[in-house]
Amino acid sequence: MDYQRILEDIYREIQPFAREGKPADYIPALARVDADRFGICLDTIDGGQYLLGDASERFSIQSITKVFSLAAALGLEGEALWSRVGREPSGTAFNSLIQLEVEHGIPRNPFINAGAIVVADVLMSHYERCDEAYLDFVRAISGNPTIGYNREVASSERATAYLNAAIANLLKYHGNLHGDIERVLNFYILQCSVEMSCCDLSRAFKPFADHRSPFRYGSTSLTSSQVKRINAIMQTCGFYDEAGEFSYLVGLPGKSGVGGGIAAVCPLKYSVAVWSPRLNGKGNSVMGMKALELLTTRTEESIF
Ligand code: GLU
């Protein structure tokens, strides 16, 4: 498969969509990012790497971080994790409060904000120095020891995190947040501020594409079955309330973030990460979705 040529063709084909959508602006620091960046990187499980555009430029991974925090929490808690968070698609916005209230503080899944805040609480109950321990895991899985948080993005988000604060309070009210609200919220927001490039992300997702290889990074290890199940949750819950559409158009497990990144895997074939900050109304990158749709169409490789 000539992936490089396919990526180049895709880049040309998506140009008509280059001005569609707009970057997230509810986090002030994200609104300042150049909206016209585009990068993509694909790693095959047999060691090939193909990239294009701003693939080595770091950006705010935002909710893509939720895949790493779920992996870390599942490694620490195993099945017990599912007593505190579900694994059903939500069909509502990522920061919605309604379902959480109706369902008595048990978030639908770990990829909506409520679920990821519970996961952050779980991690804090295990890690002594959570900020460092989490970063160690992300650095280990991406093979890049220079990856870090962007504390300016985190404090800009914290200053306006009214909805996430409401979610954390509701969780606390229902007894599903054990730590201190303020500390858990800060840790969740810090996780979202991690900056990585498409190449870092593609590399970090490779273990999810290659579930037959041992998953052992830092202090986190997962069984092959756990890795496949994380993929299942990515497939059903990874794209806000557009997971069905992503499944239909692209057909890969993946996760998006409001920084404009999407990381996805084609099991036993490749991992891929794409970045373009302009988002559609559901919060997913317009060019990113288009690029991945064309990728699976051209290669005729998806999970279906
Ligand atoms: N930090 C963002 C928030 O909590 C993440 C949102 C996202 O990327 O979906 O609102």
Side-chain angles (χ1 to χ4, degrees):
M1 187 79 69
D2 189 349
Y3 286 112
Q4 190 64 40
R5 180 139 168 238
I6 292 172
L7 294 187
E8 280 157 19
D9 288 347
I10 289 173
Y11 183 60
R12 266 192 304 277
E13 254 182 75
I14 60 177
Q15 290 315 306
F17 304 93
R19 297 270 147 191
E20 264 184 37
K22 61 178 183 62
D25 53 10
Y26 76 99
I27 299 173
L30 292 186
R32 294 196 283 275
V33 173
D34 178 358
D36 297 321
R37 311 309 292 271
F38 178 88
I40 187 163
C41 181
L42 183 149
D43 279 88
T44 55
I45 66 164
D46 56 13
Q49 190 184 58
Y50 308 88
L51 50 116
L52 185 146
D54 302 312
S56 305
E57 185 93 10
R58 287 188 187 178
F59 60 92
S60 196
I61 69 167
Q62 291 299 317
S63 277
I64 301 173
T65 211
K66 293 174 169 114
V67 176
F68 304 133
S69 52
L70 171 61
L74 207 51
L76 291 162
E77 290 263 314
E79 288 297 295
L81 182 67
W82 304 119
S83 65
R84 296 188 53 192
V85 59
R87 38 180 201 250
E88 288 293 342
S90 74
T92 58
F94 63 96
N95 50 11
S96 169
L97 280 163
I98 300 167
Q99 222 162 35
L100 191 61
E101 181 173 20
V102 174
E103 296 179 0
H104 310 290
I106 303 293
R108 272 290 170 102
N109 68 66
F111 293 160
I112 52 172
N113 288 7
I117 291 170
V118 168
V119 169
D121 185 43
V122 167
L123 292 179
M124 287 182 91
S125 71
H126 286 273
Y127 291 153
E128 208 160 299
R129 292 173 6 171
C130 52
D131 297 8
E132 283 164 41
Y134 185 68
L135 204 51
D136 283 348
F137 172 55
V138 176
R139 287 173 169 171
I141 195 170
S142 60
N144 184 347
T146 69
I147 284 168
Y149 298 118
N150 182 327
R151 290 186 186 267
E152 189 201 325
V153 169
S155 59
S156 144
E157 176 169 359
R158 183 64 193 92
T160 54
Y162 310 116
L163 270 178
N164 286 330
I167 289 170
N169 277 279
L170 201 50
L171 289 166
K172 189 76 175 174
Y173 171 80
H174 286 289
N176 198 13
L177 194 139
H178 302 167
D180 173 69
I181 295 179
E182 197 61 23
R183 288 189 59 225
V184 175
L185 205 51
N186 287 343
F187 180 43
Y188 161 73
I189 288 171
L190 193 65
Q191 287 170 25
C192 293
S193 82
V194 167
E195 289 187 325
M196 294 168 80
S197 67
C198 290
C199 293
D200 294 328
L201 274 174
S202 175
R203 174 107 189 260
F205 270 62
K206 202 166 147 186
F208 297 98
D210 191 10
H211 59 83
R212 288 189 187 150
S213 296
F215 188 110
R216 223 171 288 120
Y217 300 94
S219 58
T220 298
S221 63
L222 296 176
T223 64
S224 144
S225 163
Q226 285 174 316
V227 171
K228 286 196 284 179
R229 286 172 171 182
I230 290 175
N231 289 347
I233 299 170
M234 285 199 247
Q235 185 74 34
T236 51
C237 311
F239 295 89
Y240 310 119
D241 50 342
E242 208 173 26
E245 187 71 354
F246 191 85
S247 231
Y248 179 80
L249 294 175
V250 179
L252 298 178
K255 182 74 200 84
S256 60
V258 295
I262 301 178
V265 298
C266 190
L268 300 178
K269 294 211 168 76
Y270 61 78
S271 54
V272 61
V274 58
W275 171 51
S276 168
R278 291 180 192 270
L279 309 180
N280 65 20
K282 305 272 187 185
N284 291 312
S285 168
V286 175
M287 295 271 269
M289 269 186 79
K290 210 70 208 162
L292 296 180
E293 178 189 344
L294 289 174
L295 177 66
T296 52
T297 305
R298 279 298 160 74
T299 57
E300 298 181 351
E301 290 174 343
S302 80
I303 64 157
F304 298 109

